Amino acid sequence: MSILTDLYIFLDTSWSYRIVEDYVNYIVQRMNIRPYGSSVTLLTASDASLLANQSYNIIDFFKQWNFDTHNQAAKPGFSLPTILSKAMELTDDLFENESKRNSLGLRSLIMLLMPSPLAYVNEHDFDYCQRYLDFLYRTKPDMNFIYYSGGVLVRFKSYVKDPRKDLFLLDPETDVEASSLPVLQRIKNEPRRITNPCSMHPNGSRHHQQQVKQYLPLGFLTFYKIAANNFFSPGYMRYIKIKAFSRIAFVICTSRRNSWPYRNSISTSPSTEQECLQISNNVFSYDLTDMCLNYQTTQECPPLFLSVQAQAFADSSQVMCEEEECFSPQQTQFLLITNNLDCSTYDRDQLSVYL
C-alpha cells in the first residue's frame, strides 16, 4: 500500500535542528513525495509561518528547510489556536483549488504537530480549541490531527480524535526508526478521501457524474473513505462505481465500520462488517442514496470505507502504463466514477458553530 497524502507539518522550532532533523526526514523521505504523489508543507508551530512551501519534490523540500532556515524562524514555541486557524485556511485553499480542477481529492489529509517537551496548550484556550476542532470535524471530517511530541503525551489527548492512535512520543534518546516508524504507519493507514468538489462550500452546487483514472501496482491495494457530508441529504442516482481499465481482476471491498476492508485470503469465514466483489470486465457499483436517513447529523452518520486490490501477477499485454501519472510501467489502472454526490456542510438542525 503506497502513501498518497497532503501532509502539513507544524514544527516547534524550540527543537534543535540537529535533534529533530532525522526524525522529520525519516517520515518525509517515505511519504511518496513526487508529482502525482504526496505533498508536504512545513510550518512553524508558533505563528504558522512557512518553513517550506507545499512541495511535490523531495529535493525542493530540503532546499527550503535546513539548518539556517530552521534557526532563522520567527520565534520558537507552540500555539494550538494559531495552528487550528492556519489549518482552516490551508484546507480552504486546498478545497478551493480542487473545486476549480473538478477534483475528487483522492489524498488523505494530515496535520502533523511536533511540539517540544515544554510546549503546552494554555488552559484559557481549552474551550476555544475544543469548539474550533468540533467545527473542523463537522465541516472537514477528513482532516486528521496527529501529535509527534516530546514530553508527556497526555497533555494533548483532548485535541485528537483518538488518543490511542494519534499521539506519538518523540524521544531524542530513541532510535530514529523505532520512534518514527509508528508515525509513518499511522499516516499510511489513513484512507484517501473521496470528496465532492463542492462539499466544503455551504452554498456550492452538486456535481453530477465525475470520473478519474487511478493507478495501482500489481498486488497492491488502496483504501478510500467517503465522509457522510458527501451523501447526507436525500438524493437520487447517487453512487460510486469502479470500472477496470487494465485487463486484469480487481477485488473491491466496502464497509461502514471497518476502516480497512479487504479480502483476507487466509480466512474463509464471511465477515458481517464488509462485503467484497471481484471485477474484471464488469463494473462495481455502490448505491449512496439514503445512507443517512436514520441520522440527525453528519457526525453521527458513518462514512463509507472502500478498498481496491489489484491481482498479483500479469504480463505486459495486460498491464502497460505509459502515462506520466504512472510510477512504473507495471501499474494497473481503473476508473473511479461518482455521481450526484452531496454538498452537505451543516447538520439537519442547521446549528451554527461560533468560535
Side-chain angles (χ1 to χ4, degrees):
M1 182 176 65
S2 60
I3 299 177
L4 201 62
T5 188
D6 289 307
L7 174 66
Y8 299 89
I9 304 174
F10 291 86
L11 176 63
D12 185 346
T13 53
S14 298
W15 286 108
S16 163
Y17 179 82
R18 298 303 185 197
I19 290 177
V20 79
E21 172 190 15
D22 290 341
Y23 296 88
V24 174
N25 290 354
Y26 183 92
I27 295 171
V28 171
Q29 289 174 352
R30 291 161 178 79
M31 288 299 303
N32 189 29
I33 306 296
R34 61 180 180 86
Y36 306 106
S38 298
S39 74
V40 59
T41 306
L42 182 65
L43 309 98
T44 66
S46 58
D47 62 0
S49 57
L50 278 171
L51 288 170
N53 208 346
Q54 186 177 42
S55 179
Y56 293 88
N57 184 297
I58 194 71
I59 296 175
D60 178 60
F61 173 80
F62 290 121
K63 283 182 179 178
Q64 294 185 71
W65 181 60
N66 51 53
F67 178 83
D68 292 331
T69 58
H70 181 92
N71 291 321
Q72 291 167 5
K75 63 177 181 178
F78 180 85
S79 171
L80 186 56
T82 301
I83 291 171
L84 296 179
S85 177
K86 189 64 175 182
M88 168 73 82
E89 177 187 329
L90 290 167
T91 50
D92 280 346
D93 292 343
L94 175 67
F95 294 142
E96 186 67 35
N97 186 43
E98 289 179 352
S99 182
K100 291 177 181 178
R101 294 186 290 109
N102 204 26
S103 168
L104 291 172
L106 303 176
R107 291 183 174 88
S108 61
L109 183 55
I110 305 292
M111 304 290 164
L112 180 62
L113 280 54
M114 300 185 66
S116 72
L118 299 179
Y120 65 96
V121 180
N122 193 303
E123 62 180 12
H124 299 296
D125 292 327
F126 178 82
D127 289 340
Y128 174 86
C129 291
Q130 290 296 309
R131 291 196 302 271
Y132 212 124
L133 282 167
D134 181 66
F135 176 75
L136 288 175
Y137 291 149
R138 283 171 180 261
T139 58
K140 301 178 180 181
D142 296 306
M143 187 183 296
N144 298 274
F145 288 89
I146 300 172
Y147 285 75
Y148 190 22
S149 170
V152 181
L153 294 177
V154 69
R155 69 194 194 277
F156 297 118
K157 70 174 184 178
S158 299
Y159 307 106
V160 293
K161 292 179 181 178
D162 187 344
R164 297 168 299 177
K165 297 194 306 181
D166 297 332
L167 298 178
F168 299 90
L169 178 63
L170 198 169
D171 181 359
E173 301 299 320
T174 303
D175 175 74
V176 172
E177 182 173 18
S179 177
S180 300
L181 183 58
V183 182
L184 180 69
Q185 192 62 47
R186 168 65 182 89
I187 297 172
K188 186 176 182 179
N189 285 343
E190 187 61 32
R192 303 177 188 179
R193 59 188 173 88
I194 297 176
T195 308
N196 188 13
C198 67
S199 66
M200 300 305 164
H201 301 278
N203 299 317
S205 60
R206 285 175 173 79
H207 285 242
H208 295 286
Q209 188 172 108
Q210 297 167 274
Q211 65 178 39
V212 61
K213 191 181 290 186
Q214 294 284 273
Y215 306 88
L216 189 62
L218 284 168
F220 277 57
L221 75 162
T222 187
F223 296 95
Y224 298 94
K225 170 189 171 185
I226 309 179
N229 299 55
N230 297 284
F231 50 75
F232 184 69
S233 65
Y236 63 95
M237 291 295 291
R238 180 177 295 155
Y239 57 76
I240 181 169
K241 292 183 177 181
I242 305 292
K243 181 179 181 180
F245 194 83
S246 300
R247 291 186 295 156
I248 66 163
F250 294 90
V251 174
I252 319 297
C253 295
T254 58
S255 178
R256 300 292 299 278
R257 297 181 181 180
N258 180 9
S259 303
W260 308 293
Y262 69 97
R263 178 175 290 175
N264 187 343
S265 59
I266 299 176
S267 174
T268 57
S269 59
S271 171
T272 59
E273 294 191 350
Q274 68 178 39
E275 295 181 353
C276 295
L277 178 69
Q278 180 172 304
I279 65 169
S280 51
N281 296 324
N282 52 330
V283 177
F284 168 86
S285 182
Y286 194 100
D287 184 13
L288 298 173
T289 306
D290 300 333
M291 295 268 282
C292 297
L293 283 182
N294 298 322
Y295 301 95
Q296 291 300 308
T297 70
T298 54
Q299 287 181 303
E300 293 173 356
C301 183
L304 173 68
F305 298 103
L306 179 147
S307 72
V308 181
Q309 183 172 9
Q311 72 180 51
F313 302 100
D315 58 42
S316 58
S317 65
Q318 296 172 288
V319 179
M320 177 54 68
C321 190
E322 298 177 340
E323 301 174 26
E324 58 184 3
E325 292 91 342
C326 297
F327 189 68
S328 75
Q330 292 299 303
Q331 286 211 297
T332 67
Q333 303 169 62
F334 61 90
L335 288 177
L336 191 155
I337 305 165
T338 64
N339 193 69
N340 197 28
L341 291 184
D342 194 10
C343 296
S344 297
T345 304
Y346 302 118
D347 303 330
R348 296 197 199 284
D349 55 13
Q350 295 293 299
L351 285 176
S352 297
V353 179
Y354 296 98
L355 302 176

